[in-house]
Amino acid sequence: MTTIPSAVDRLLDDGSGRRPRADARRNVERLVRAAREAAGEIGGEITAHEIARRAGVGVGTFYRRVSTLELLLEAVLAEVLGEIVAKGDEGLADPDPWGGFTGFASAYIRLRNELCDINEALGGPLDHARSELRDRIRLLVARAQEAGIMRADVTWQDVAFLLVSVSTSDHTLGLRAGQEQWDRNLQVVLDGLRTPQPAALPGTPPIDTTASA
């Protein structure tokens, strides 16, 4: 199983091997948490001031602890990538091939959106750990197909595109996303991939915001 250092450990590692002070670690933990929250709520428009405000520290503390915004975001990006790969490993370790695949798929659509928001803030292509993610999806699909519970006429490449398609925006055509919209989208995709009976959809349908206009 792949072990990837956390964002906090990456940012505190100065190469000396010395243990950082407790207050320094607490501040970096707050900054990492705040960066991930900001990415999920405001997307690519993340600033050092916004992260410091959410973390409850001054901008001076921000730069003293993480040096630059880019360094913080790169560490967080690596952490989220590591979490996705770890979810793939957990899925492969699950004795139930379908349970392992669906557990990964559910975690992946959420973490991937966070990943893309952070990458947008960095303004660079998302190439890190691509081969590891491809391998996890390929292996999870192969296990499910070998067990006879996933249709055999789709490829792992198809599945990669299908999982990405699940993560929608909040609005489309005057409709507002319903409760657990991503879960509903994912369940439809999973039912299309699975050979037995479809499962019940979670949440509620999208809301037509033009109905009362």
Side-chain angles (χ1 to χ4, degrees):
M1 187 172 288
T2 303
T3 302
I4 298 178
S6 71
V8 173
D9 288 336
R10 286 174 182 271
L11 291 164
L12 288 172
D13 184 7
D14 60 3
S16 68
R18 293 194 302 267
R19 182 187 294 273
R21 295 200 322 266
D23 64 322
R25 186 171 190 89
R26 281 194 300 272
N27 283 335
V28 173
E29 287 171 350
R30 289 174 186 150
L31 290 169
V32 167
R33 255 192 325 269
R36 294 188 65 158
E37 288 170 3
E41 292 177 23
I42 61 179
E45 301 299 319
I46 308 171
T47 65
H49 283 76
E50 174 64 18
I51 293 172
R53 182 188 68 78
R54 287 170 179 259
V57 302
V59 175
T61 298
F62 176 98
Y63 285 111
R64 188 162 61 252
R65 294 300 175 214
V66 299
S67 181
T68 67
L69 174 61
E70 290 73 23
L71 193 65
L72 171 61
L73 294 179
E74 285 169 2
V76 172
L77 185 70
E79 178 174 86
V80 177
L81 278 163
E83 289 175 9
I84 295 174
V85 171
K87 288 296 181 183
D89 288 335
E90 287 176 19
L92 291 170
D94 191 324
D96 175 7
W98 185 250
F101 173 73
T102 57
F104 167 78
S106 180
Y108 177 61
I109 61 171
R110 286 165 174 75
L111 288 169
R112 186 185 180 279
N113 276 281
E114 187 177 356
L115 194 72
C116 290
D117 289 335
I118 298 166
N119 192 63
E120 181 186 351
L122 280 167
L126 186 56
D127 293 326
H128 309 286
R130 179 183 291 175
S131 63
E132 289 186 281
L133 295 180
R134 288 163 60 103
D135 284 345
R136 297 316 185 277
I137 295 174
R138 177 178 58 80
L139 292 169
L140 286 163
V141 169
R143 285 183 79 223
Q145 289 176 329
E146 288 166 6
I149 50 180
M150 181 183 290
R151 53 191 296 175
D153 59 342
V154 298
T155 67
W156 72 263
Q157 294 95 330
D158 290 321
V159 172
F161 272 99
L162 288 168
L163 293 181
V164 170
S165 72
V166 166
S167 303
T168 62
S169 63
D170 292 334
H171 297 83
T172 182
L173 299 175
L175 304 173
R176 187 173 75 245
Q179 185 184 24
E180 300 179 76
Q181 189 67 56
W182 292 353
D183 295 311
R184 290 173 63 82
N185 296 351
L186 177 60
Q187 192 60 62
V188 172
V189 168
L190 293 176
D191 286 342
L193 290 170
R194 192 174 187 180
T195 50
Q197 289 274 31
L201 289 178
T204 57
I207 300 162
D208 188 348
T209 57
T210 65
S212 58

